[in-house]
Amino acid sequence: NIEVLKWFTDYCKSVKKDCYLVAEVWDGFSAFSKYYQSGIDSLFNFSFGQATGKITTTLNMAGSTNSAKSYADALCFAQKTFLSYNPNAIDAPFFTNHDTGRAAGYFSYNADKIKLAWGMNLTMSGSAFVYYGEEIGMTGSGRDENKRAPMFWSNSNKEGMTNPPPNMETQENHFAPVDEQLKDNTSILNYVKRAIRLRNENPELARGILTNIPLEDEETCAVLKSYDNSSIIVVYNLSETEKQVTIKKSDFAYDRIRGYLSVNSQEPKLDGETLTMPAYAIVILK
């Protein structure tokens, strides 16, 4: 398979040198990561997505193997592994697709966890993908047709709405449609929009080389992302309570909060080297 994928990749690049290729190898980390040996640009990262992936287990399960610290370790290990097979590898983070249950169900429709999961996904390095409907917390599990329900644009205006696929069971969405979420500053949709904006404003998020920054509290973690002579620090509070994180400026040159993601209206604060983070917050220092 890797040999065939190399042939395919080489041929496509011979036709258009800057074409971008992403492959789906639905398997465990040790298996799919080896396909980077083919020279392909990207592979969908199944190890961090889905109901059993690293993001979901980190938010839903207890213990040191599911701690924030272990999440940062996994981020750094994944990038190191991909680059060892292909120095030009571009990770392809995703959380769900048309073959998996929708993410809202992974977290029993807890809006804060759904938001944080997307914040974690959209601050990963690489070329990130969002399956339609996930940005509003749509419902869908069981048979494939349920996972491919029409986009939930509106409750009041049905004009232009797509018909459901044949054999789809009735889906009861737990969250408002697009037109209502757009008006709610704390909605899942507006959270995802802010995450994408942060990603666009900070190229280090997608392109940066990772360095783990050890923290004392295992419910928090931090990574340095360096790209094109510029660095940012991404700090995660993956707990349900406010946390204070200290990162020495003498070790990492930063002076301000560059941006943040909060699941509610609470804001982080930086006082010297002490960062106060609301529950389930992600903060960028620069």
Side-chain angles (χ1 to χ4, degrees):
N1 285 351
I2 294 173
E3 182 181 353
V4 172
L5 190 58
K6 182 181 187 308
W7 167 83
F8 178 80
T9 300
D10 291 346
Y11 174 76
C12 292
K13 299 291 184 180
S14 74
V15 175
K16 183 171 175 58
K17 186 178 180 179
D18 62 348
C19 71
Y20 172 68
L21 301 174
V22 56
E24 178 181 278
V25 180
W26 196 331
D27 210 328
F29 180 82
S30 62
F32 85 74
S33 59
K34 292 177 182 176
Y35 280 73
Y36 275 113
Q37 295 176 77
S38 67
I40 196 166
D41 300 300
S42 294
L43 295 159
F44 286 116
N45 192 335
F46 280 92
S47 293
F48 281 77
Q50 312 178 89
T52 57
K54 188 62 180 174
I55 291 175
T56 303
T57 57
T58 300
L59 295 183
N60 281 346
M61 300 179 69
S64 59
T65 58
N66 301 301
S67 65
K69 178 185 180 299
S70 75
Y71 178 72
D73 291 341
L75 286 174
C76 294
F77 179 76
Q79 185 179 75
K80 182 180 178 180
T81 301
F82 299 154
L83 294 179
S84 72
Y85 290 127
N86 177 0
N88 297 313
I90 303 168
D91 190 13
F94 81 106
F95 204 42
T96 66
N97 65 19
H98 60 276
D99 291 320
T100 67
R102 289 197 173 274
Y106 303 169
F107 306 109
S108 301
Y109 305 99
N110 181 319
D112 287 350
K113 282 191 174 183
I114 295 168
K115 292 175 189 176
L116 180 56
W118 280 111
M120 294 165 72
N121 179 264
L122 290 169
T123 52
M124 287 178 66
S125 296
S127 182
F129 291 77
V130 179
Y131 180 48
Y132 83 92
E134 294 299 82
E135 71 272 49
I136 60 170
M138 279 179 57
T139 299
S141 61
R143 61 178 64 171
D144 282 349
E145 290 87 348
N146 299 346
K147 306 164 188 174
R148 304 166 190 178
M151 184 66 176
F152 189 29
W153 294 107
S154 176
N155 269 319
S156 57
N157 181 13
K158 300 298 184 181
E159 184 178 352
M161 292 278 281
T162 305
N163 292 327
N167 301 319
M168 187 193 86
E169 298 169 319
T170 300
Q171 299 302 301
E172 298 293 338
N173 287 301
H174 291 243
F175 301 103
V178 172
D179 57 357
E180 295 178 29
Q181 289 202 30
L182 283 170
K183 301 172 186 176
D184 178 5
N185 191 50
T186 63
S187 69
I188 298 170
L189 175 56
N190 278 315
Y191 180 96
V192 173
K193 288 178 67 176
R194 284 192 292 272
I196 293 172
R197 186 177 71 240
L198 272 183
R199 192 175 182 85
N200 290 334
E201 291 171 346
N202 298 277
E204 301 95 336
L205 277 176
R207 298 177 174 90
I209 298 298
L210 287 158
T211 303
N212 203 343
I213 300 175
L215 300 179
E216 291 184 4
D217 189 336
E218 284 201 340
E219 292 186 314
T220 63
C221 63
V223 292
L224 182 75
K225 289 196 169 193
S226 303
Y227 169 73
D228 196 22
N229 297 317
S230 179
S231 295
I232 59 173
I233 300 169
V234 188
V235 190
Y236 300 83
N237 176 10
L238 303 185
S239 76
E240 299 177 353
T241 60
E242 180 181 280
K243 294 284 185 178
Q244 287 192 333
V245 174
T246 300
I247 299 176
K248 292 184 178 180
K249 292 183 176 180
S250 58
D251 294 335
F252 304 95
Y254 70 94
D255 58 19
R256 68 191 189 280
I257 293 176
R258 176 70 175 86
Y260 68 93
L261 293 169
S262 175
V263 297
N264 48 45
S265 58
Q266 293 181 294
E267 299 182 5
K269 296 179 181 178
L270 180 63
D271 183 10
E273 296 180 339
T274 301
L275 174 65
T276 302
M277 303 180 67
Y280 291 161
I282 301 173
V283 178
I284 297 173
L285 302 175
K286 190 167 185 177

